[in-house]
């Protein structure tokens, strides 16, 4: 029996060691997303302490699913960049102007949803003056290609979606023997010894020219694979022209209801920090913002990449080091630019 236990221990011990590494350094939390998706070691747990006060700010905006009145001045609709609560751009903006936010589970493809609302009775029932349409750069062209401009959503249908919504429950607990027990320690080792590599099908890790762009003082950039894989479509000028035509059409439709459209593309992390990547041999230059900036617009345009790029040299953590989203630093900058646009 002792021999069996000894032999079994000899076999199990390496897995116990790998499992312990995974438990200690792998993060399955929703945020920071790049640490989770890329299987990078979560060794910067203290990093976000610099944002403690911003993470604990009072929330000033109203969610549609929890709304108490119908007198908001500004409607926000977008993706995960618009879902940041305490430290999101809409919350800083809400200190000055009343904000109604369309919840992410309602917005889906936000361009499509905004079309449907504008075709229905939503803006007749709400005293909205401005709509902020936010869309992350990597999915802006993709979302625009999927829309049907004739669809209608009445306010009653939107309210039904709210009433019938059930938050999903995610079970992230991994068994002792799983692929992650083997893969994560290898991925962690690669984080320390490799440069300019695709960690898995979700995230890249590349070397930067500077080590002072983030508070962690690391000279590498983590970003999503999608930032790069969607580049071909985003760099196509005719696709950007079609997107701009759709936004102009949407803006004119809203104008007929006395509502002004503000378009806010959120830059991909890859694109925003592109000029700081040390070796660009395998990394094409993103052109989406270059193309969009020269087109005639019937809407108010927030050139977020130009605005945020101007701050990269003077402020750290414009985007989170460990996440694909912008930080409270950028949220404040963006909200200030929107305030200028509506005043």
């Amino acid at each position: 029996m002792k021999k069996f236990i000894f032999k079994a221990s000899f076999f199990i011990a390496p897995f116990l060691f790998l499992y312990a590494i995974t438990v200690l350094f792998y993060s399955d939390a929703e945020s920071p997303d790049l640490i989770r998706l890329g299987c990078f070691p979560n060794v910067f747990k203290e990093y976000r302490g610099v944002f403690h006060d911003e993470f604990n700010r009072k929330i000033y905006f109203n969610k549609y699913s929890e709304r108490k009145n119908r007198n908001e001045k500004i409607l926000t609709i977008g993706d995960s960049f618009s879902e940041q609560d305490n430290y999101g751009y809409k919350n800083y903006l809400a200190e000055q102007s009343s904000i109604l936010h369309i919840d992410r589970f309602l917005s889906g493809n936000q361009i499509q949803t905004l079309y449907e609302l504008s075709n229905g009775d939503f803006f007749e029932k709400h005293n909205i003056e401005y709509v902020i349409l936010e869309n992350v750069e990597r999915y802006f062209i993709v979302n625009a290609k999927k829309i049907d401009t004739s669809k209608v959503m009445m306010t009653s249908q939107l309210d039904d979606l709210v009433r019938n919504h059930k938050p999903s429950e995610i079970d992230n607990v991994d068994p002792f023997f799983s692929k992650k027990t083997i893969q994560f320690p290898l991925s962690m080792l690669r984080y320390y010894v490799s440069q300019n590599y695709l960690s898995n099908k979700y995230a890249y890790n590349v070397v930067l020219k500077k080590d002072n762009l983030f508070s962690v003082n690391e000279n590498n950039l983590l970003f999503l694979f999608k930032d790069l894989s969607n580049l071909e479509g985003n760099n196509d000028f005719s696709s950007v022209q079609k997107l701009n035509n759709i936004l102009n059409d949407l803006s004119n439709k809203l104008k007929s209801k006395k509502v002004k459209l503000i378009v806010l593309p959120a830059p991909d992390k890859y694109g925003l920090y592109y000029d700081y990547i040390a070796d660009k041999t395998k990394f094409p230059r993103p052109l989406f913002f270059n193309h969009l900036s020269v087109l005639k617009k019937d809407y108010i345009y927030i050139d977020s990449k130009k605005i945020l790029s101007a701050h990269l040299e003077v402020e750290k953590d414009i985007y989170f080091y460990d996440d694909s989203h912008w930080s409270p630093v950028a949220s404040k900058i963006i909200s200030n630019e929107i305030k200028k646009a509506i005043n």
Side-chain angles (χ1 to χ4, degrees):
M1 187 63 181
K2 287 183 178 178
K3 285 185 177 180
F4 173 76
I5 294 174
F6 177 77
K7 289 181 179 179
S9 299
F10 189 77
F11 174 76
I12 292 173
F15 287 97
L16 275 174
F17 176 69
L18 295 175
Y19 184 71
I21 289 177
T22 304
V23 169
L24 287 172
F25 297 106
Y26 176 72
S27 171
D28 59 8
E30 189 68 22
S31 178
D33 62 356
L34 286 169
I35 295 293
R36 169 175 51 86
L37 293 170
C39 282
F40 300 118
N42 190 20
V43 292
F44 304 100
K45 294 178 182 177
E46 305 300 322
Y47 157 59
R48 293 195 172 206
V50 297
F51 304 115
H52 176 270
D53 291 345
E54 307 304 322
F55 288 162
N56 290 282
R57 294 176 72 251
K58 176 183 175 183
I59 290 180
Y60 296 94
F61 66 90
N62 296 318
K63 292 182 180 180
Y64 185 82
S65 62
E66 303 168 356
R67 73 192 192 287
K68 298 174 182 175
N69 61 64
R70 295 184 175 182
N71 295 312
E72 290 90 349
K73 178 180 180 182
I74 300 173
L75 180 77
T76 59
I77 183 169
D79 47 43
S80 54
F81 281 78
S82 292
E83 285 296 287
Q84 296 171 330
D85 284 342
N86 315 61
Y87 60 93
Y89 73 88
K90 65 183 185 298
N91 201 37
Y92 293 108
L93 197 58
E95 291 179 340
Q96 176 178 303
S97 304
S98 54
I99 302 284
L100 177 62
H101 177 62
I102 299 292
D103 308 63
R104 187 74 188 103
F105 74 88
L106 295 170
S107 60
N109 178 338
Q110 56 270 45
I111 307 173
Q112 175 68 50
T113 302
L114 189 52
Y115 255 111
E116 292 180 20
L117 294 178
S118 64
N119 289 336
D121 61 353
F122 183 88
F123 292 101
E124 281 72 28
K125 293 192 172 184
H126 296 80
N127 299 316
I128 300 294
E129 292 182 39
Y130 294 91
V131 173
I132 299 174
L133 172 64
E134 177 274 319
N135 204 122
V136 68
E137 177 183 357
R138 58 182 163 273
Y139 291 127
F140 220 160
I141 297 290
V142 173
N143 283 346
K145 287 181 177 178
K146 296 177 181 175
I147 63 166
D148 179 347
T149 60
S150 65
K151 283 190 172 181
V152 178
M153 181 183 287
M154 305 302 286
T155 303
S156 59
Q157 292 174 285
L158 194 62
D159 292 339
D160 284 342
L161 291 175
V162 172
R163 277 192 292 272
N164 296 326
H165 176 63
K166 295 179 180 177
S168 58
E169 295 182 3
I170 301 173
D171 182 5
N172 289 325
V173 178
D174 292 308
F176 175 70
F177 288 107
S178 70
K179 286 175 65 178
K180 193 180 294 176
T181 305
I182 302 296
Q183 290 174 340
F184 176 73
L186 292 175
S187 179
M188 180 173 171
L189 175 65
R190 198 177 182 195
Y191 176 82
Y192 290 108
V193 300
S194 299
Q195 293 184 341
N196 299 328
Y197 67 96
L198 179 62
S199 175
N200 49 25
K201 60 182 179 180
Y202 297 114
Y204 267 97
N205 180 7
V206 300
V207 177
L208 295 173
K209 298 174 185 174
K210 304 180 71 172
D211 62 2
N212 60 352
L213 294 171
F214 304 98
S215 295
V216 293
N217 294 324
E218 296 284 320
N219 72 331
N220 63 321
L221 181 74
L222 310 179
F223 65 87
L224 290 174
F225 169 68
K226 284 289 185 182
D227 290 3
L228 202 57
S229 64
N230 284 359
L231 211 54
E232 184 177 353
N234 276 8
N235 280 356
D236 179 56
F237 186 67
S238 64
S239 294
V240 181
Q241 279 182 312
K242 290 177 183 174
L243 167 66
N244 190 61
N245 291 341
I246 289 169
L247 296 174
N248 282 338
D249 180 61
L250 187 53
S251 178
N252 290 325
K253 186 178 286 290
L254 289 168
K255 278 179 186 174
S256 69
K257 297 175 182 284
K258 300 181 179 178
V259 178
K260 297 173 185 173
L261 176 65
I262 299 173
V263 175
L264 170 61
D268 292 340
K269 191 175 181 183
Y270 167 74
L272 185 65
Y273 290 91
Y274 180 79
D275 288 340
Y276 296 94
I277 294 176
D279 181 2
K280 300 184 180 68
T281 306
K282 298 179 181 178
F283 301 106
R285 179 175 291 279
L287 299 174
F288 174 81
F289 279 89
N290 302 56
H291 292 336
L292 188 58
S293 65
V294 299
L295 297 173
K296 182 181 180 301
K297 302 172 185 66
D298 294 332
Y299 52 86
I300 300 169
Y301 176 53
I302 305 296
D303 191 343
S304 55
K305 184 175 180 181
K306 181 179 180 181
I307 294 163
L308 296 177
S309 295
H311 289 263
L312 286 176
E313 287 288 334
V314 293
E315 292 189 76
K316 293 184 179 182
D317 302 312
I318 297 297
Y319 273 50
F320 291 116
Y321 167 78
D322 51 10
D323 200 282
S324 64
H325 298 88
W326 56 38
S327 77
V329 179
S331 292
K332 286 182 189 175
I333 295 168
I334 292 297
S335 70
N336 286 336
E337 290 299 321
I338 295 173
K339 288 174 186 174
K340 292 177 190 174
I342 63 178
N343 288 331

